[in-house]
Amino acid sequence: IKVGLYTIRYGYRNNSFFIASNTAGQFIVIDALGADFQIGHQIAYEGSKIINETLNDETEAKVHLESNEKEAYEYLRTMIRIGKHFIN
């Protein structure tokens, strides 16, 4: 998975978790940890750091998964099925 610019595509659980993708079709699942993300926001993923480029805000958000589109959505479906958050 490349670090770089991603776009928020989907929000889940009262905007606690998000799926974002880049132009190469790579996907990340993000635990917002209080960050103010919205669908369509541009974010910079720098490995251990996520910056909301739309709001010019460095966040505490963490990436839970780096994957393709199918795996990203399956990860969120698993969270729904077991009914709890994954914890680092």
Side-chain angles (χ1 to χ4, degrees):
I1 294 286
K2 293 181 182 177
V3 297
L5 194 62
Y6 286 73
T7 302
I8 301 288
R9 301 287 179 204
Y10 179 78
Y12 169 67
R13 282 213 174 152
N14 297 321
N15 294 327
S16 296
F17 288 84
F18 291 87
I19 291 177
S21 66
N22 64 14
T23 57
Q26 297 165 322
F27 284 72
I28 54 177
V29 177
I30 303 163
D31 184 344
L33 297 174
D36 186 18
F37 294 130
Q38 293 181 23
I39 293 171
H41 276 189
Q42 298 289 308
I43 60 169
Y45 173 44
E46 301 178 0
S48 63
K49 197 176 356 175
I50 297 175
I51 298 168
N52 186 329
E53 295 288 344
T54 302
L55 301 178
N56 193 27
D57 181 37
E58 187 171 330
T59 72
E60 298 295 321
K62 300 290 182 209
V63 171
H64 276 245
L65 180 71
E66 299 175 339
S67 66
N68 60 37
E69 182 176 15
K70 181 181 177 187
E71 289 174 355
Y73 283 97
E74 284 177 355
Y75 184 87
L76 287 186
R77 277 196 294 278
T78 299
M79 290 176 65
I80 293 166
R81 196 167 51 249
I82 64 174
K84 64 181 180 181
H85 293 268
F86 289 111
I87 298 173
N88 285 341

